[in-house]
Amino acid sequence: MKKFYDVSLANPFMLGTSQYPSPAVLAKAFERSQASVATVSLRREASNDKAGQDFWKLIQQLNVHILPNTAGCHTVKEAVTTAHMAREVFNTRWIKLEVIGEEDTLQPDVFRLVEAARILNEDGFHVFPYTTEDLVVADRLVDAGCRVLMPWGSPIGSGMGLNNVFGLRALRAHFPDIPLVIDAGLGLPSQAAQAMELGMDAVLLNTAVSKAGDPAMMAEAFALAIRAGQLAHCADPMQVRDMACPSTPILGKAFLD
Amino acid sequence: MINTHDGVTIVGAGVAGLCIATELVQRGIIPTIIERQTEPGPDSCSWWAGGMLAPYCEAESADKEVVHFGKSASQWWQEKTGLVTQKGTLVLALNRDHSELQRFAKRTEAHELLSADAINELEPDLDMRFSRGLFYKDEAHLPPRKALSALKASLIQNGANFLYQNADLNGFAKDELVIDCRGIKAKPTLPSLRGVKGEMLILRCPDLSLNRPIRLLHPRIPLYIVPRGDGVYMLGATMIESSAKQHASVRSVMELLNSAYALNPAFGEAEILEIGVDSRPAFADNIPKITHHGQIISANGLYRHGFLLAPTLAIMLADYIHQGIKPEWLTTCTPESKT
């Protein structure tokens, strides 16, 4: 399995920590998900005077890798400032870089994303950029020093799954050595399985679990699907064909006439 | 039964403290209440409450217990204060967010689906802007500040003694029973308590007449609006995992106002009367807890359900003190050891 900036993950599952009914439910969901990474969005206001430390303490008690993110940032400066605060608060070089460009789709502003990624990579961060499936942007992000890419499946919180399978397949083919994480848009475990079958290295999701009627049960469902997709990819699936291909050997058939 | 012969002192006169005092008085136990402020005011979280008595809507994200115990709240408040308005709750979503309405309907009960005409009948001033909504007819609301004052007035009438000073929890006589209702300020003695920041606005918009609490669903920025009468509306409230309570952020205020404007552009002409911010005290499961160590009983963690759950918390605690009935929300109990 590929490493994420020198870190191997026991399970290729990254789970978000927002919008749960309570921190207790969040903890249960993590337990059943067996997720290896927790993403945490840092509100800049909450970083003053350690005002958010009670919640962050709960996150740290999950005992998983913490991937802080710059959710809700719209400018390079905001994203860079937030990344620095996150490094201080969580004592990690990891940063999920999100620079939002459009409010309705929460689509990344890929131009500012590349610029912020360059600044942060030069500053010693290990950047996980939230991007589209665009090949050229991905290329620029790798040029800027990113060693992980996080293409979206579909818009954040939409639950539409993988909107552009062709694009994701192309991305996989172009960057065989860069870990790819499907980030955003997954609503159902089957979609996560599909992502892993495509050969993605991990999936990241939040809303599908936190807004489910039973978040802990849904977390486990995703864990099973991710494992299934991962095994299926490793097992080298059969090829699709146009015509039927009998699975029973002709040889053993009885002759009636 | 717990010995109360040497006096009962309640520390904190927010919604928890006042409800507990009320239930104790009803059982013939007259407490002393220590509070820093001479009148209910912005220092307590309940001052900024929405005052929605909406157990069914809360089921969307709250534990079953909240729904179960919250159902009795409106009757309690009506009996004690007479300030409850029972006109139900209207839940709406903009056309683009209709899947939120479906989700909300699925997670809650005791609602009916309304058409545009039915919404218009309930709230003509929404001007047919919404094609679908959910109506929770059994829900109610009250004006929180008036309700706090009403409880206080009736406590004084019944002989309860209010002392306006800072309390030192270690400074009480050995056999005196102390009930700690300080909310988030009790954090040093309740380390698992956390603050959840809430920001709210009070607007005056005389052009607009809304009759009941309205919730506007949105995937990121849900809003509720509670009419306070005389064209005054309370808009709330953000939920941020932070114990900060000094300032409301521009983003939060902007988002609340944006949502109100989306509900009805008439809010664009409203006056902003107040911007409120406080930190709700909560435990990890967002359910209130009672702890009993030595002479100190603490009741805390009402989270965003102060007016909804304080009556239940008060009844549980008063039954515990008066009759020794073990409260469902009691988590630790070491009455012998002196803390």
Side-chain angles (χ1 to χ4, degrees), chain B residues 88-128:
Chain B
T89 305
L90 186 58
V91 178
L92 302 170
L94 297 172
N95 275 332
R96 52 186 275 172
D97 297 326
H98 266 172
S99 65
E100 291 293 315
L101 208 58
Q102 283 168 4
R103 193 179 63 85
F104 202 93
K106 227 164 89 183
R107 300 279 160 78
T108 57
E109 54 180 35
H111 52 71
E112 58 176 308
L113 185 66
L114 298 188
S115 64
D117 288 335
I119 295 170
N120 190 48
E121 237 167 82
L122 289 174
E123 299 291 353
D125 272 12
L126 289 178
D127 209 21
M128 300 292 275

Side-chain angles (χ1 to χ4, degrees), chain B:
Chain B
M1 192 170 151
I2 291 165
N3 178 24
T4 56
H5 297 306
D6 298 292
V8 178
T9 299
I10 295 173
V11 182
V15 69
L18 292 176
C19 287
I20 289 166
T22 303
E23 284 295 324
L24 285 176
V25 165
Q26 202 155 310
R27 286 161 183 73
I29 302 168
I30 310 296
T32 298
I33 297 136
I34 299 186
E35 165 62 46
R36 288 185 302 180
Q37 311 296 324
T38 52
E39 290 304 327
D43 214 37
S44 106
C45 206
S46 22
W47 183 254
W48 302 109
M52 288 186 296
L53 302 170
Y56 300 101
C57 283
E58 285 302 305
E60 183 237 349
S61 61
D63 195 277
K64 285 193 283 292
E65 275 186 53
V66 174
V67 186
H68 171 72
F69 289 117
K71 283 179 191 168
S72 53
S74 66
Q75 196 190 342
W76 192 93
W77 283 106
Q78 184 59 13
E79 278 169 20
K80 303 294 188 276
T81 69
L83 290 167
V84 174
T85 306
Q86 181 152 357
K87 287 190 174 171
T89 305
L90 186 58
V91 178
L92 302 170
L94 297 172
N95 275 332
R96 52 186 275 172
D97 297 326
H98 266 172
S99 65
E100 291 293 315
L101 208 58
Q102 283 168 4
R103 193 179 63 85
F104 202 93
K106 227 164 89 183
R107 300 279 160 78
T108 57
E109 54 180 35
H111 52 71
E112 58 176 308
L113 185 66
L114 298 188
S115 64
D117 288 335
I119 295 170
N120 190 48
E121 237 167 82
L122 289 174
E123 299 291 353
D125 272 12
L126 289 178
D127 209 21
M128 300 292 275
R129 300 171 63 79
F130 293 88
S131 59
R132 262 179 290 176
L134 297 167
F135 185 51
Y136 297 75
K137 68 172 169 46
D138 299 323
E139 296 191 333
H141 67 286
L142 54 65
R145 297 173 183 182
K146 284 183 190 158
L148 294 173
S149 296
L151 284 190
K152 186 177 172 186
S154 103
L155 284 168
I156 289 172
Q157 209 174 15
N158 283 295
N161 185 23
F162 279 77
L163 295 178
Y164 303 112
Q165 62 191 51
N166 278 314
D168 172 11
L169 285 202
N170 297 314
F172 289 95
K174 195 170 166 289
D175 296 316
E176 195 173 345
L177 185 65
V178 179
I179 305 173
D180 180 0
C181 300
R182 291 175 298 154
I184 197 70
K185 294 181 197 84
K187 167 108 180 134
T189 49
L190 297 169
S192 59
L193 201 65
R194 76 185 202 286
V196 181
K197 185 183 182 185
E199 292 140 305
M200 54 83 85
L201 294 156
I202 295 183
L203 308 181
R204 186 189 290 125
C205 190
D207 301 346
L208 192 64
S209 165
L210 300 175
N211 304 306
R212 55 182 55 71
I214 295 177
R215 294 187 184 220
L216 183 63
L217 305 182
H218 184 279
R220 273 169 297 143
I221 315 151
L223 168 87
Y224 60 75
I225 291 185
V226 190
R228 292 270 197 261
D230 299 325
V232 175
Y233 296 91
M234 184 268 186
L235 263 64
T238 55
M239 303 270 284
I240 298 166
E241 289 287 346
S242 164
S243 55
K245 47 186 279 187
Q246 285 78 24
H247 306 287
S249 76
V250 169
R251 180 205 300 240
S252 296
V253 172
M254 190 179 68
E255 286 175 348
L256 288 172
L257 289 174
N258 247 337
S259 298
Y261 188 79
L263 184 76
N264 195 321
F267 275 113
E269 304 301 319
E271 296 166 54
I272 299 177
L273 300 182
E274 291 178 51
I275 297 177
V277 50
D278 214 319
S279 192
R280 309 170 182 93
F283 293 103
D285 58 1
N286 294 340
I287 304 278
K289 310 239 175 295
I290 295 169
T291 58
H292 186 178
H293 293 292
Q295 68 184 123
I296 298 177
I297 298 179
S298 95
N300 213 318
L302 283 165
Y303 182 49
R304 58 182 261 173
H305 302 126
F307 283 80
L308 192 63
L309 294 184
T312 300
L313 183 68
I315 291 166
M316 279 188 192
L317 199 63
D319 282 346
Y320 180 49
I321 292 167
H322 186 235
Q323 290 165 276
I325 299 170
K326 194 180 162 223
E328 204 171 319
W329 287 337
L330 184 72
T331 52
T332 53
C333 178
T334 51
E336 303 311 322
S337 74
K338 180 102 168 74
T339 49

Side-chain angles (χ1 to χ4, degrees), chain A residues 5 11 20 35 42 55 85 87 106 114 123 144 149 156 175 184 194 196 199 204 206 209 212 215 217 228 245:
Chain A
Y5 295 102
N11 284 307
Y20 289 81
L42 194 77
F55 185 67
M85 282 176 173
R87 182 161 68 177
L106 297 180
V114 171
D123 210 358
L149 293 171
I156 296 175
F175 298 97
Q194 190 193 9
M196 297 305 290
L204 192 163
N206 191 147
V209 166
M217 196 186 288
C245 172

